Amino acid sequence: MRIVIANDHGAVALKQEIVTALRAAGHEVTNLGVDTEESVDYPDIARRAAAAYLAGGYDFGILCCGSGIGISIAANKVRGIRCAQVFDLYTAQMCKRHNNANFIAFGGRVTYPVPVPAMIAAYMEAEYEGGRHQRRVDKLDELC
Ligand code: RB5
C-alpha cells in the first residue's frame, strides 16, 4: 500500500518505528513529519498530511503527536478526512469497518496494550462494511 505519515516532535521515535515496520512489510511510505525534537505545531503537520492525501495517490494516512489527540482533532477539521485515534486492535479494526477512516492517529507518549505496527496491520486488514454505515459516513463528511 501507499501510505502518508506525519508527526510532530512528540512522536519522532514512534514515527520511525512505524516507517521501519511498514517498509519492511513492503509498503511505500512517504514521511511528511519531523525527524528532530524541535518544537512544531501539530495543526500544521496535520494540514500537510491531509493535503497530500487529498491530492491522491495514497491508500491512507497515519498521524502521530505526543498524545495522538491534537493531530487527530486537526485532521478531522479538514473536509474529506476521517481520522480515528486508535487505542487497541478492536478500535483499529472498527474504525475501518464502520467509519471508513482514511487516517489513523497514535501518540508517541502513550502506552498501548499492543505494538502500534500490530494496530496498523489490523486496520489495513479490515474492510469497510458499507451498507448502513455509508449513510453515517456521508453525514460525517457533511459536517465540515
Ligand atoms: C506537544 O507537546 C503536544 O502537545 C502534542 O504532541 C500533542 O500531544 C497534542 O495533542
Side-chain angles (χ1 to χ4, degrees), residues 8-10 42 65-71 109:
D8 76 358
H9 56 284
Y42 56 80
C65 65
S67 63
I69 297 170
I71 205 157
R109 299 170 185 156

Side-chain angles (χ1 to χ4, degrees), residues 101-123:
N102 48 24
F103 270 81
I104 50 177
F106 300 97
R109 299 170 185 156
V110 176
T111 301
Y112 292 107
V114 290
V116 170
M119 292 189 270
I120 295 171
Y123 165 85

Side-chain angles (χ1 to χ4, degrees), residues 25-103:
H27 300 291
E28 192 177 322
V29 185
T30 301
N31 172 23
L32 299 182
V34 300
D35 288 290
T36 74
E37 293 187 6
E38 183 179 340
S39 184
V40 293
D41 295 337
Y42 56 80
D44 301 332
I45 305 294
R47 181 198 295 267
R48 181 191 305 163
Y53 174 83
L54 292 171
Y58 295 104
D59 293 292
F60 72 100
I62 301 172
L63 292 170
C64 304
C65 65
S67 63
I69 297 170
I71 205 157
S72 56
I73 291 173
N76 279 316
K77 290 185 176 294
V78 179
R79 187 174 182 84
I81 301 301
R82 294 178 302 280
C83 179
Q85 211 185 340
V86 168
F87 298 99
D88 51 24
L89 294 176
Y90 176 76
T91 52
Q93 293 168 3
M94 294 310 292
C95 75
K96 172 74 78 60
R97 289 174 55 188
H98 284 193
N99 314 114
N100 202 16
N102 48 24
F103 270 81

Side-chain angles (χ1 to χ4, degrees), residues 124-137:
M124 292 170 73
E125 287 163 15
E127 289 189 13
Y128 176 51
E129 294 175 11
R132 70 187 187 279
H133 302 293
Q134 188 57 48
R135 181 178 69 252
R136 297 158 184 167
V137 169

